[in-house]
Amino acid sequence: MVVNLFLINEPTDLDVIDIKQLNSSDSKVFSFNLRVHKSLQKKGIKHEIAENHLSEEDHLKVFDAAVSFREWYKNKPALKDMEYENVNLFSLLDTNEFQSYLIPVLLNFLLIKKIIKSEKPSKIITTSDFSNIVKSLSKRIETELEI
């Protein structure tokens, strides 16, 4: 069990986090992109690459979930008001652009869920980027959250 779990999404996050706390033996640090990984490496901070916790099957599940949201607006009766000349305005959105936004969000959600489940931290320290994900997941577990 880890006491402090750090979920870092941007290199600038390192400017507001106490480096001594990151290097503590009761802390575990996860980088969520290459820029963060390189910044942590440069500072000599031991960390793990979050994406290493996903299998190929996990990636396929996330992709399938994103594809299933292609026509999400059809399942929302309230959005019927968003029609103009019998065309739902949401149907005009570029589905590739929507998926480009959705896939990283779903991947981060799944990653954070898996990391929390495997590490069982007492405290999670993260940034506002991940705050909503962590808040929704930490409701199910007794973990302190610091944003």
Side-chain angles (χ1 to χ4, degrees):
M1 182 171 142
V2 173
V3 176
N4 296 317
L5 179 67
F6 290 89
L7 307 174
I8 304 175
N9 191 39
E10 291 297 328
T12 55
D13 298 343
L14 298 172
D15 297 338
V16 295
I17 298 173
D18 181 14
I19 300 297
K20 289 178 189 171
Q21 201 176 9
L22 287 173
N23 283 323
S24 171
S25 61
D26 60 352
S27 294
K28 198 157 192 182
V29 180
F30 285 89
S31 66
F32 279 78
N33 64 50
L34 185 59
R35 294 184 327 268
V36 172
H37 167 67
K38 288 189 177 204
S39 293
L40 289 167
Q41 224 174 17
K42 189 185 233 182
K43 293 180 187 234
I45 298 169
K46 185 180 172 191
H47 64 284
E48 289 187 30
I49 297 169
E51 190 149 342
N52 289 345
H53 287 261
L54 290 182
S55 65
E56 185 176 338
E57 183 180 330
D58 291 330
H59 283 277
L60 292 172
K61 283 180 184 177
V62 166
F63 180 78
D64 289 343
V67 168
S68 74
F69 286 122
R70 278 193 175 163
E71 295 182 339
W72 59 273
Y73 54 88
K74 288 184 176 180
N75 299 326
K76 305 286 182 190
L79 297 179
K80 185 84 170 142
D81 296 337
M82 296 302 295
E83 287 188 359
Y84 180 72
E85 294 185 6
N86 294 326
V87 175
N88 189 305
L89 297 177
F90 288 108
S91 70
L92 302 175
L93 291 174
D94 182 356
T95 56
N96 291 329
E97 188 174 338
F98 182 63
Q99 281 184 300
S100 295
Y101 169 77
L102 190 58
I103 287 175
V105 171
L106 292 173
L107 282 172
N108 285 335
F109 184 86
L110 183 58
L111 277 168
I112 292 169
K113 182 179 176 183
K114 282 183 155 223
I115 290 168
I116 291 172
K117 186 178 180 180
S118 69
E119 299 299 331
K120 298 174 180 55
S122 300
K123 183 177 184 179
I124 300 171
I125 299 103
T126 190
T127 60
S128 57
D129 291 347
F130 290 153
S131 63
N132 288 334
I133 294 172
V134 174
K135 282 177 187 175
S136 70
L137 292 170
S138 63
K139 287 178 184 176
R140 300 181 188 125
I141 55 173
E142 292 183 28
T143 302
E144 184 183 346
L145 175 60
E146 183 179 322
I147 298 170

